[in-house]
Amino acid sequence: MQAITLDLNKSINESGQHIVGADIKLSLRPFIEYLERRTEVEKTVKVNFYKYILGQFNAYPELKDPIPPENIYKYTELFELIYTALSPVITEEREQYWALSTPISPCFHYGTDAFYSVLMDEGKCNLKADLALPSKKEMEKNLLSAFYNIVMERFYNFSLTGNQLIIHSIIDPETHLLKYYRLNVDTRFLDVTTNAKLPEYNLKDVKDYIKDERNTLKILTKLIPPELFRIEGISIVTLTDVTGEYALETVKNLVIQHNESQQGLHTKEIATALKTLVGTDQIDFGMIPYIKLNNKLQINELSGFNSILVQLAREQGQTESEYNHLIDDYIGAPRTLIFPEITEEEYLTYPMLKLLGTVGIKSYALFPLYYNAKLVGCLELYTKDSSLFNGHTLSKIEAAFPLLAQLFQSVIVDFNNDIQDVIMDKFTALQPSVQWRFHEAAYNYIQSGARDRNFPIEPVFFKDVYPFYAAIDIRNSSIQRNAAIRRDLYAHFEILESTLHSIREKASNCTENEIPKSAAVWNYKHLDELSDREIFKTEDYLQRQIPNALQHLKDTYPELEDVVNGYYQLTGNKGKIFENRERYEKSMQMINVAVTRHLDEFNAELQSIYPCYFEKFRTDGVEFDLYLGQSIAPGIAFPAGILQDFRLRQLRVLAEIARTTNNLGPYFSTPLETTQLIFVYEKLIDISFRIDEQRFDVEGSYNIRYQMVKKRIDKAFIKDTTERLTQPGKIAIVYFNSSEAKEYIGYIKKLQAKRLLNDDLEHLELEELQGVEGLKALRIGVKY
């Protein structure tokens, strides 16, 4: 322990006057009174220790008054008792950064050796030369903030900010790296008094004054001048080494700025943060995000990320294929490789390690990094001093792995987005089956120089393809949604009516004109009779006009605050008035997720057989188009029978979807059912990419007939009836020609044999649609 008065305030303000302006004195009286109170309530053996300390303090009756600066040295033994009382008994002093100071002041009088070693040169009574103290302005701001925190808490029960500072610029003489400490101040042993009557402020008043945090202290010094206060007591200061936390925070901030990191602007800062984390500047790092182009790893030095091994391989003339082979082998079987001291035997197993020896590197480690269980890159750790390469160092660096993995994932995503810029600018997100054609068009566009002159890009189209269409729809979805809205509105009106009743009871001075009358509100008993337009008007009234009226009442009559706040709580985003809509949306989302999963698996299955274009659309349900033809994959022979195979698989997946959505029934918050529809069109059509709509569409006037029929059949009725073609639990197959029906009957029999479909096949004729006649349909039930 050391009894040295170290006044950082004087280091900044040579006049010696306290920056805050209040009357601040060092006094042990608040600590003595605190111990006396504890002695009265303490039931454990600690009471004997407290009585012993009080006995020591009572030997100095003058302590009832503040301690003059020139007499501080007389009470060193008492300071040591305070340290003993407030510190864990078994903690070693050299691990404690602890000091006793004048209140609200960077003036320390007694502390541990560890504390003084942070601020002062060893064996000298002066501050470290490389210790960067805050400026006078910063010091004043920090001390004023601490002062007003205490004043506001003691007199107004209101806290402004935390009472913690971080010292940023203490350089470790051994590692030459910055060390970071959090400054914690214990203000329990302070008496704060005032020599004048303070103005009365509540939270509402204060918040109006301090809306702009930058001016908070300036305003407070005018409203509540520091000169009104007298503070007596001691502050207990402790420093906590947060170097590791701060280093990780630095990496985290750089992850947030990953766009700049990708350009190589911050990789040096990341390496410095990692050195700080492991506690030495003698260890270096290589960072290699797995950026791939056409499944080939790209190590682009312009990105700022690099590998020491790859760098040395290039410098020493090794071919790209040599080290790419090693990289591919490692990616195929990623694992942690650690070489505390690289030996001749390890050179035989890993020849690339010889490159490290040429520049004096004696220890090396390679760590694979994963993001969501996917390999996204590697971190190299290497040093010329093998004594620094130990388990303690490696365990420290592991804390940064998740952050680096996230950074690498962001870099990979940004790289992929950049590659797609030209394509995305002119087209849309592409499927692998047709991507080759867009790459071709983009390449021709760039090579022609048209990009500089902003000329139109060449059309992308595919001729003579077979179209497939199917739709999974949620039966009566609009009716169900509107019913849910009406039920929620009913609940909203009930809450409003109850709130208005409470307002009349609590605010006796409130006039009827100030309360939204029931007559002015929609009659919610007849919500079912309102049109959709009136429903929307009602929602607008409840969500916008009623809150304004209630807020006015709350401001006028403070006694209504609980009633109005209760209304806001019940009608907020998570309140009761959205329950039915949330149930409906949750059920619909369950269906769409299940259907999407089936269709994604179905698409993957088809692509593995033959490349085709598959596109799904989200409505209240899910629709999908599929185009199959030689022009989509000109380099692959078009197999005989593939059309029939795809049609059978399409029918099968709709049966599986119907089963799944039925099985979800018990889990639905709102009961929903799905209908399934297939449209068979045997003629070949042409499709082209429409740049304005960013999607494929049919080409040619005759082909447009296919698109027109497809959009109208979901509302079709059976001829001479009022029965809809699509029904829950059934698959409807719409066609023109009897040959198509015969083909699908064969598919149905195959799926009946697999117990996917029922034995209830119907042959139906459809009522004429606008501009379309002669449509027929098969309808078959799904076996649940």
Side-chain angles (χ1 to χ4, degrees), residues 394-504:
L394 300 183
S395 64
K396 283 183 177 180
I397 200 64
E398 285 180 0
F401 287 1
L403 294 173
L404 293 174
Q406 187 173 349
L407 172 64
F408 287 1
Q409 172 66 12
S410 299
V411 170
I412 292 168
V413 169
D414 287 344
F415 174 82
N416 292 335
N417 289 342
D418 288 343
I419 291 297
Q420 294 299 323
D421 270 353
V422 172
I423 298 169
M424 292 296 291
D425 181 50
K426 296 297 180 180
F427 301 116
T428 185
L430 302 179
Q431 296 182 24
S433 59
V434 297
Q435 196 171 30
W436 65 270
R437 183 63 187 90
F438 288 94
H439 285 174
E440 196 176 77
Y443 178 78
N444 293 339
Y445 184 74
I446 294 170
Q447 289 296 105
S448 67
R451 187 178 183 183
D452 296 332
R453 298 186 294 275
N454 202 25
F455 283 178
I457 199 164
E458 67 182 80
V460 172
F461 59 88
F462 297 99
K463 297 181 67 68
D464 296 334
V465 295
Y466 292 99
F468 294 72
Y469 171 77
I472 300 93
D473 193 28
I474 297 174
R475 171 51 56 95
N476 298 328
S477 57
S478 298
I479 296 173
Q480 293 263 40
R481 182 185 288 106
N482 289 336
I485 293 173
R486 285 171 166 82
R487 288 193 292 271
D488 283 339
L489 287 177
Y490 190 94
H492 198 154
F493 276 116
E494 286 187 324
I495 294 169
L496 177 60
E497 192 172 76
S498 174
T499 301
L500 295 178
H501 179 71
S502 299
I503 288 174
R504 292 188 182 95

Side-chain angles (χ1 to χ4, degrees), residues 45 95 133 267 295 338 355 406 419 436 441 485 664 676 685 695 767:
V45 72
E95 297 175 359
L133 293 171
T267 47
N295 289 322
I338 300 175
L355 297 171
Q406 187 173 349
I419 291 297
W436 65 270
I485 293 173
L664 288 173
Q676 291 71 224
I685 66 172
R695 58 183 294 269
E767 282 199 348

Side-chain angles (χ1 to χ4, degrees), residues 60-275:
Y60 300 87
E62 71 272 16
L63 291 180
K64 65 180 184 297
D65 297 318
I67 303 173
E70 64 271 14
N71 293 337
I72 290 174
Y73 72 94
K74 296 180 180 180
Y75 307 105
T76 301
E77 292 181 2
L78 300 184
F79 294 159
E80 185 165 2
L81 283 174
I82 294 173
Y83 167 76
T84 305
L86 297 179
S87 301
V89 177
I90 62 173
T91 301
E92 291 190 15
E93 180 191 321
R94 63 183 180 184
E95 297 175 359
Q96 286 275 85
Y97 299 88
W98 186 98
L100 182 150
S101 76
T102 299
I104 323 296
S105 176
C107 182
F108 309 104
H109 306 290
Y110 185 81
T112 62
D113 294 342
F115 179 88
Y116 281 102
S117 69
V118 170
L119 303 174
M120 302 176 65
D121 287 324
E122 188 175 355
K124 300 178 182 179
C125 288
N126 57 280
L127 290 174
K128 289 183 176 179
D130 54 9
L131 181 66
L133 293 171
S135 65
K136 179 179 177 181
K137 185 175 181 181
E138 289 175 323
M139 180 69 80
E140 182 177 6
K141 180 180 177 182
N142 292 337
L143 295 180
L144 270 177
S145 178
F147 169 76
Y148 278 113
N149 257 328
I150 294 171
V151 168
M152 298 303 283
E153 285 177 358
R154 301 285 176 97
F155 293 94
Y156 296 97
N157 195 29
F158 178 74
S159 179
L160 292 177
T161 59
N163 194 23
Q164 296 182 342
L165 307 172
I166 290 182
I167 301 173
H168 292 279
S169 50
I170 297 177
I171 297 177
D172 190 313
E174 294 181 6
T175 65
H176 308 292
L177 296 169
L178 291 176
K179 296 200 73 172
Y180 301 90
Y181 295 91
R182 182 183 296 119
L183 178 68
N184 304 285
V185 183
D186 185 349
T187 59
R188 287 177 294 172
F189 315 117
L190 300 179
D191 275 349
V192 186
T193 57
T194 178
N195 54 18
K197 183 179 180 181
L198 296 179
E200 295 183 4
Y201 295 113
N202 56 31
L203 180 59
K204 182 180 177 182
D205 297 325
V206 174
K207 74 173 178 122
D208 291 333
Y209 282 117
I210 59 175
K211 287 179 180 177
D212 187 351
E213 292 181 357
R214 294 170 297 180
N215 296 322
T216 299
L217 295 176
K218 187 182 294 183
I219 293 171
L220 283 174
T221 54
K222 293 180 179 178
L223 297 176
I224 313 172
E227 293 78 14
L228 299 178
F229 297 91
R230 179 183 178 89
I231 298 180
E232 295 182 3
I234 56 173
S235 290
I236 304 300
V237 176
T238 55
L239 295 178
T240 305
D241 189 339
V242 292
T243 302
E245 297 173 23
Y246 204 84
L248 289 175
E249 190 67 25
T250 301
V251 177
K252 187 186 299 182
N253 291 334
L254 294 172
V255 169
I256 295 171
Q257 303 170 29
H258 66 267
N259 286 330
E260 294 180 352
S261 295
Q262 186 191 5
Q263 298 165 15
L265 299 181
H266 289 312
T267 47
K268 288 184 179 179
E269 293 179 36
I270 295 173
T272 300
L274 295 178
K275 290 181 179 184

Side-chain angles (χ1 to χ4, degrees), residues 146 154 197 258 333 399 481 553 574 607 768 772:
R154 301 285 176 97
K197 183 179 180 181
H258 66 267
R481 182 185 288 106
L553 288 172
K574 300 295 182 181
Q607 301 296 345
E768 182 177 335
V772 184

Side-chain angles (χ1 to χ4, degrees), residues 23 65 259 297 393 416 460 534 574 609 619 671 681 698 773:
D23 186 9
D65 297 318
N259 286 330
L297 182 67
T393 301
N416 292 335
V460 172
E534 290 170 326
K574 300 295 182 181
I609 298 170
T619 55
Y681 196 75
V698 296
E773 60 180 11

